[in-house]
Amino acid sequence: MNSMANDVLVIGAGLAGLTTAWQASRHGKGVRVIAKGWGATHWHAGCVDVLGYWPVDSETPATNPAATLPDLLAANPQHPYALVGLARLAAALGGLQHLCSDAGYPLVGSLDKNWRLPTAVGAARPTCLAPATMIAGDLDDDTPMLLVGFKQLPDFYAHLAADNLVQQGIPARHVVLDLPALAGRNFTTAVNLARFMQQSDFRAAVAQAVKPHLGKAARVGFPAVLGLEEATAVHQDLQVQLGRPVFEIPGLPPSVAGMRLHRILKAAIEKNGGQVHEGMEAIGFAADGGRVTAVHTETSGRPRQHRYEQIVLATGGILGGGIVTNHAGEVCEVVFNLPLRHPENRLEWFRRDFLDKQGHPIYRSGVSVNENFQPMDGRVLYQNLYAAGSTLAGFEAIRERSFDGVALATGYAVGNLVSN
Amino acid sequence: MANNIWQAQLNIEAHTLKPVELTLDHCIKCNICVTACPVTAVTDLFPGPKYVGPQAGRFRHQGQPSPDHSVDYCNGCRVCNMVCPTGVKIAEINGRARAHIVQSGQVPLRRKLRNNLIARPELMGKFGQPLAPIANGLLHSGFGRFFAKLLLDIAPNAPLPRFSGERFSRWAHKRRDAVRSDRKVVYFHGCSTEYFEARVGKAAVQVLEANGFEVIVPSQNCCGLPLLSNGEFAAAQAYHESNIRHMVDYVKQGYVIVGTSTSCTLTLKEEAPEMLAYHTPDARLLTANTFDIHEFLVHLLDAGELKTDGLRPMPLTLAYHPPCQYRAHRLGRPSTEIMALIPELTIIESQAACCGVGGTYGYKAEKYDITMAVGKPLFDFVQQVHGPIAVCDSETCRWNIAAATGVPLVHPIELLAAAYGYEPEGPLAEVMT
Ligand SMILES: Cc1cc2nc3c(=O)[nH]c(=O)nc-3n(C[C@H](O)[C@H](O)[C@H](O)COP(=O)(O)OP(=O)(O)OC[C@H]3O[C@@H](n4cnc5c(N)ncnc54)[C@H](O)[C@@H]3O)c2cc1C
Ligand code: SF4
Ligand code: SF4
Ligand code: SF4
């Protein structure tokens, strides 16, 4: 069957790791992805945020990332976007759009414009690429909307979102459904609701219950639960039944929209002959002559060795578990113990205010790399080791809203580098 | 690491494992586990891993009643552990919570009796196998099943296996001196091979011998997993201690233990020590030197020592389900790597999380429907691949898939043995003629 060569080992299955593996496997490389568990794909909104705010303390969102990015690169030449370059960033976005379209789940948008999509509490969220299932919620359009909640889904507060939108000048109302199909439950999760949504009789019941409340609403918003594998069909069917545009609003984890991207990328890797193994935690490595010769993973009995030509570290930063901190003030990378850039002193980790507009210095911690994404300590540490995604140093992802864009672009770049 | 893969590793670090309950502090409440749990997906009776595991775990304290009985609907598949990004041992937290419920006498008598019976395949085997024709007749008759449901709440349609005509260990004993070698391995057959599917053990012995090993089959007990998953910890510990006594001397002589039942090997390696918090030096030696057979073969392959020449082609397209209890070893998919060596064999891997049977879970009348709902995507997949047989490493899994689909199931080691030229038995024999 698949006796592929041991070309590329990717550690981490978030957006960065999966993108790396997708690109490398597309070029015919034998790829294995190992991951301790699933990553931020299951938390984030299922969109691709490239640059939401710049400068980071800006009050107003960036409307056109392509126009703002050159300023960012000039101010921060160490930023991962600077290493990738704008051309490769655009290619990465285009590549993902292409993949998702082929999978029947189009991502809409371009670098020239940020959408302004509503969050679960009705704030405006700048994002670059969003699934077609979310676009009708754009707040540049001020036509009236109806937001639909479910009594059994405590993670979506339709009334709160509607109130907030009204305050921003968007006519919004809400309704909370209590459907017979869910009546026996105290609560349900977004994922179970998404499975229900794939059943046509459930959808018909939803449409039936919403119709009396439509009034003047020109569009109808739901929490992001409109199907898993069949999201596009579910979305279209609801639009037909309700006779107007329908949109999804991503909310608390788990993120159904993020899971769709995870599925599409994983399927692409496996179709190209690659393997994706979850539940495998990298705990150590062996090196010889400036090369990593093996990565060790924890198993039920004893460590397993993975011998691959090229190794890509995509374990996420502090939030993803690839970098850990302790109260003694130490900051460590967990697999290779790579040298990190981080605040010297623990007192400098955080600013005083939780929502400080500059962000917190500790979240800029990470691995320093050269233009080929090889970890550096003045010199290249291992000839065959690369790093991608949030594990990289020197950017304020939370304030910039650049987590997804950096993960996608650096994963794309590294996936192509290791294929040459 | 030892020089050779077949040499036991005797330098074991002292144990530093924390009680599984402490891992709940790592939970960041991300809900990823809830998205993956196959039981939550099909029933309202089970709110999901996060809720019954790390969440309810905060309220469980020695000497106090458990706050949440829905934990009993966890089938132990460990899918949640595999996807959790922070390493919470959810399935083990659930298993220990269930044991607490059992130990504090909160299970009704009839259910307790039933759980204790179905959790003892060794006992059933010892009594049933010598009477194989009668026992098979009774167990598979509508009459027998009716009374099993009436008296003991055993699901009338649950997949019961058939006793073999000859116990595996008798067969092994008769040919004890057939092969002599300095390279020795110990074979752990488990209950299913011993009483129900001797052909799996024969195939394993053939493959190991073809690679130059002398195979030792020591006397042994059930690994204790069914007892563990029914919360009967004292009885499980007695089995585990007995297995250590029977096998640890071989390990100390430098021989490793190889098994064909993925759930037995997982229990010897990890489940028994963790669930029982039983980490004696001998238990640690067993953990470090027990292998699933395909894990062992992959090590041989990596070292260039696996016999891969002259394999007989098998022009078949077969569905393969890597069982959840195998994925839980965190080894990747070693059986797939080995089956890939067989010429002309096309293996299509299932993406299904679990077949639903969860060892003894699916034999319980109150859980049978959940089992079938969990397994449905897998059953559909097996039927869609439309092979004459399908492949799976785990025995209860094989029986469940076969009962649900009508497709006979084999262990992957049977394929390799046949590719080595050995005469297959059972469903594979019919396909190969
Ligand atoms: C995905 C997600 C969704 C969430 N959703 C919600 C929500 O909707 N509503 C809500 O209210 N909450 C929510 N939470 C939880 C909420 O964010 C956290 O529970 C809360 O921030 C915890 O704050 P804390 O300070 O108590 O604990 P933490 O932020 O965990 O801080 C614990 C602190 O204790 C320190 N510490 C630990 N051990 C020691 C030691 N031995 N010595 C010294 N220091 C020690 C740690 O270093 C850390 O600084 C969510 C969390 C996540 C991850
Ligand atoms: S072990 Fe399986 S059934 Fe139990 S909570 Fe975890 S995923 Fe669900
Ligand atoms: S996946 Fe792990 S961290 Fe997330 S909710 Fe479940 S147990 Fe907690
Ligand atoms: S029989 Fe197989 S798939 Fe089913 S629960 Fe057991 S190991 Fe999992």
Side-chain angles (χ1 to χ4, degrees):
Chain A
M1 203 176 97
N2 61 343
S3 309
M4 302 234 5
N6 290 6
D7 295 322
V8 182
L9 182 73
V10 181
I11 311 172
L15 191 56
L18 292 175
T19 302
T20 306
W22 159 50
Q23 284 301 308
S25 64
R26 207 171 65 91
H27 288 106
K29 296 288 168 186
V31 179
R32 172 178 289 174
V33 182
I34 54 175
K36 180 175 177 186
W38 289 341
T41 44
H42 286 57
W43 304 334
H44 72 56
C47 302
V48 181
D49 299 345
V50 173
L51 184 61
Y53 292 87
W54 180 262
V56 291
D57 58 356
S58 166
E59 293 284 345
T60 45
T63 52
N64 177 343
T68 313
L69 277 162
D71 298 345
L72 169 90
L73 301 199
N76 182 358
Q78 299 295 311
H79 196 287
Y81 282 149
L83 303 179
V84 174
L86 296 187
R88 273 196 293 187
L89 170 61
L93 294 170
L96 185 66
Q97 282 181 294
H98 206 93
L99 179 75
C100 289
S101 290
D102 285 351
Y105 181 69
L107 296 181
V108 188
S110 76
L111 265 182
D112 301 330
K113 171 180 154 55
N114 267 337
W115 301 103
R116 292 202 314 128
L117 301 182
T119 70
V121 293
R125 176 173 64 93
T127 188
C128 181
L129 300 185
T133 57
M134 293 183 189
I135 297 300
D138 191 29
L139 299 179
D140 283 347
D141 167 1
D142 60 3
T143 56
M145 56 170 75
L146 174 71
L147 300 185
V148 181
F150 296 86
K151 180 168 172 252
Q152 292 80 4
L153 182 70
D155 291 351
F156 184 69
Y157 334 98
H159 62 287
L160 187 61
D163 285 356
N164 259 331
L165 287 164
V166 168
Q167 289 185 28
Q168 297 164 69
I170 309 276
R173 289 178 299 113
H174 80 280
V175 57
V176 176
L177 307 183
D178 185 7
L179 298 170
L182 299 174
R185 302 181 173 227
N186 289 327
F187 78 102
T188 189
T189 63
V191 177
N192 274 359
L193 210 45
R195 293 190 181 108
F196 271 113
M197 279 288 186
Q198 296 191 158
Q199 300 169 9
S200 58
D201 44 351
F202 185 83
R203 272 199 312 276
V206 169
Q208 220 43 54
V210 169
K211 272 182 192 160
H213 302 275
L214 282 172
K216 293 205 175 68
R219 45 187 173 154
V220 183
F222 287 88
V225 298
L226 304 186
L228 278 166
E229 308 87 348
E230 299 160 26
T232 300
V234 170
H235 177 241
Q236 278 169 3
D237 182 52
L238 279 175
Q239 300 201 122
V240 170
Q241 294 202 47
L242 295 173
R244 62 210 73 205
V246 162
F247 60 95
E248 295 185 295
I249 303 176
L252 290 175
S255 163
V256 168
M259 288 170 68
R260 295 176 196 143
L261 292 184
H262 173 263
R263 269 167 193 272
I264 290 171
L265 283 164
K266 185 165 179 255
I269 296 163
E270 287 174 345
K271 185 167 150 269
N272 295 338
Q275 312 163 0
V276 182
H277 298 309
E278 55 270 345
M280 275 196 175
E281 182 185 2
I283 53 168
F285 70 109
D288 187 27
R291 291 178 67 83
V292 175
T293 51
V295 172
H296 304 156
T297 57
E298 183 265 2
T299 83
S300 51
R302 64 209 75 73
R304 177 169 187 184
Q305 299 198 20
H306 306 259
R307 296 182 175 278
Y308 276 75
E309 290 295 320
Q310 320 260 25
I311 316 287
V312 181
L313 183 73
T315 46
I318 289 175
L319 300 174
I323 294 173
V324 294
T325 59
N326 64 24
H327 42 271
E330 291 162 341
V331 183
C332 306
E333 187 280 310
V334 297
V335 183
F336 300 98
N337 197 17
L338 294 172
L340 297 175
R341 258 204 281 162
H342 63 85
E344 284 294 313
N345 185 325
R346 199 187 158 186
L347 295 174
E348 294 161 12
W349 283 7
F350 298 103
R351 291 182 210 277
R352 241 182 77 115
D353 294 330
F354 180 61
L355 296 177
D356 193 298
K357 292 204 156 44
Q358 297 291 339
H360 297 289
I362 186 67
Y363 291 118
R364 297 183 187 216
S365 304
V367 178
S368 296
V369 292
N370 66 9
E371 69 285 359
N372 286 327
F373 298 91
Q374 294 171 294
M376 300 278 291
D377 188 10
R379 66 197 164 81
V380 170
L381 284 161
Y382 302 102
Q383 291 303 326
N384 60 342
L385 180 65
Y386 306 80
S390 298
T391 199
L392 297 173
F395 66 118
E396 175 42 59
I398 299 175
R399 295 293 314 169
E400 288 170 8
R401 300 197 62 91
S402 58
F403 269 124
D404 314 321
V406 165
L408 177 70
T410 56
Y412 186 89
V414 172
N416 282 283
L417 275 170
V418 296
S419 303
N420 285 333
Chain B
M1 291 252 158
N3 295 337
N4 286 317
I5 158 78
W6 61 87
Q7 282 171 358
Q9 165 73 283
L10 300 180
N11 286 327
I12 307 295
E13 288 163 28
H15 109 87
T16 50
L17 293 170
K18 288 184 292 190
V20 297
E21 284 81 1
L22 285 188
T23 64
L24 69 75
D25 280 341
H26 297 294
C27 176
I28 56 167
K29 311 297 173 207
C30 67
N31 262 329
I32 283 182
C33 53
V34 179
T35 71
C37 172
V39 175
T40 316
V42 300
T43 176
D44 295 345
L45 293 167
F46 190 61
K50 177 180 95 170
Y51 303 98
V52 301
Q55 209 108 298
R58 296 204 179 281
F59 298 94
R60 293 187 182 111
H61 286 288
Q62 281 298 326
Q64 293 181 10
S66 168
D68 185 358
H69 284 198
S70 62
V71 72
D72 191 41
Y73 281 90
C74 167
N75 81 9
C77 68
R78 289 181 167 223
V79 168
C80 48
N81 291 18
M82 301 295 285
V83 299
C84 171
T86 67
V88 180
K89 300 204 162 186
I90 313 163
E92 289 77 8
I93 292 173
N94 295 352
R96 285 172 58 109
R98 180 191 285 118
H100 180 74
I101 295 172
V102 172
Q103 277 153 24
S104 54
Q106 298 177 58
V107 180
L109 193 63
R110 189 168 73 133
R111 292 240 165 119
K112 186 156 168 76
L113 198 65
R114 173 203 60 192
N115 294 354
N116 266 282
L117 183 73
I118 59 181
R120 285 183 171 75
E122 180 177 318
L123 196 70
M124 285 197 277
K126 276 191 177 137
F127 285 101
Q129 186 277 331
L131 308 169
I134 305 169
N136 283 333
L138 191 67
L139 280 181
H140 290 268
S141 74
F143 179 75
R145 299 306 293 269
F146 174 78
F147 276 100
K149 164 78 180 81
L150 192 70
L151 296 175
L152 289 167
D153 239 1
I154 293 177
N157 295 318
L160 288 183
R162 289 178 178 275
F163 294 107
S164 327
E166 183 183 36
R167 279 166 72 157
F168 167 76
S169 56
R170 295 259 154 77
W171 175 86
H173 190 77
K174 278 189 285 191
R175 57 192 305 290
R176 191 169 35 156
D177 298 321
V179 174
R180 282 276 175 221
S181 168
D182 291 339
R183 292 184 176 196
K184 299 189 203 326
V185 287
V186 176
Y187 176 53
F188 188 84
H189 48 63
C191 305
S192 62
T193 298
E194 175 70 347
Y195 301 108
F196 303 111
E197 293 177 330
R199 58 171 215 268
V200 174
K202 294 178 191 173
V205 170
Q206 287 158 349
V207 166
L208 290 166
E209 287 180 354
N211 282 288
F213 289 95
E214 178 180 334
V215 182
I216 303 166
V217 182
S219 86
Q220 53 190 266
N221 287 105
C222 169
C223 69
L225 176 61
L227 288 162
L228 285 173
S229 54
N230 282 284
E232 300 287 347
F233 278 17
Q237 181 156 332
Y239 275 149
H240 190 55
E241 285 171 346
S242 160
N243 279 324
I244 293 174
R245 272 198 309 278
H246 283 123
M247 293 191 293
V248 78
D249 284 340
Y250 290 110
V251 173
K252 287 177 179 165
Q253 288 171 53
Y255 311 143
V256 300
I257 300 161
V258 173
T260 38
S261 165
T262 50
S263 32
C264 300
T265 48
L266 187 66
T267 304
L268 295 178
K269 280 178 173 182
E270 185 169 64
E271 279 289 83
E274 278 199 343
M275 300 275 269
L276 300 167
Y278 187 87
H279 303 290
T280 62
D282 282 357
R284 305 268 302 150
L285 271 182
L286 220 64
T287 291
N289 291 294
T290 300
F291 291 76
D292 169 77
I293 188 146
H294 284 94
E295 174 188 14
F296 187 69
L297 297 180
V298 165
H299 277 280
L300 288 182
L301 179 69
D302 287 350
E305 305 213 13
L306 184 74
K307 172 179 155 68
T308 55
D309 55 316
L311 296 192
R312 187 167 148 192
M314 274 187 205
L316 294 169
T317 297
L318 304 179
Y320 168 59
H321 174 57
C324 58
Q325 296 298 300
Y326 201 9
R327 296 186 226 204
H329 282 250
R330 310 184 290 286
L331 292 165
R333 295 188 275 283
S335 307
T336 308
E337 290 177 49
I338 297 298
M339 287 187 282
L341 301 170
I342 301 176
E344 295 180 36
L345 176 63
T346 304
I347 290 294
I348 306 183
E349 258 182 25
S350 103
Q351 302 293 322
C354 176
C355 82
V357 80
T360 57
Y361 186 96
Y363 291 81
K364 301 174 181 175
E366 74 277 14
K367 298 189 174 109
Y368 179 75
D369 289 344
I370 298 175
T371 290
M372 298 315 276
V374 167
K376 183 157 189 313
L378 174 60
F379 307 149
D380 291 348
F381 163 80
V382 167
Q383 265 156 350
Q384 201 190 321
V385 173
H386 207 69
I389 52 173
V391 189
C392 180
D393 311 74
S394 162
E395 52 276 359
T396 43
C397 207
R398 286 197 293 275
W399 304 336
N400 191 33
I401 301 171
T405 61
V407 177
L409 271 282
V410 302
H411 189 291
I413 199 66
E414 297 180 65
L415 299 177
L416 186 61
Y420 278 172
Y422 293 98
E423 200 59 46
E425 288 181 33
L428 188 56
E430 281 164 42
V431 175
M432 300 277 290
T433 50

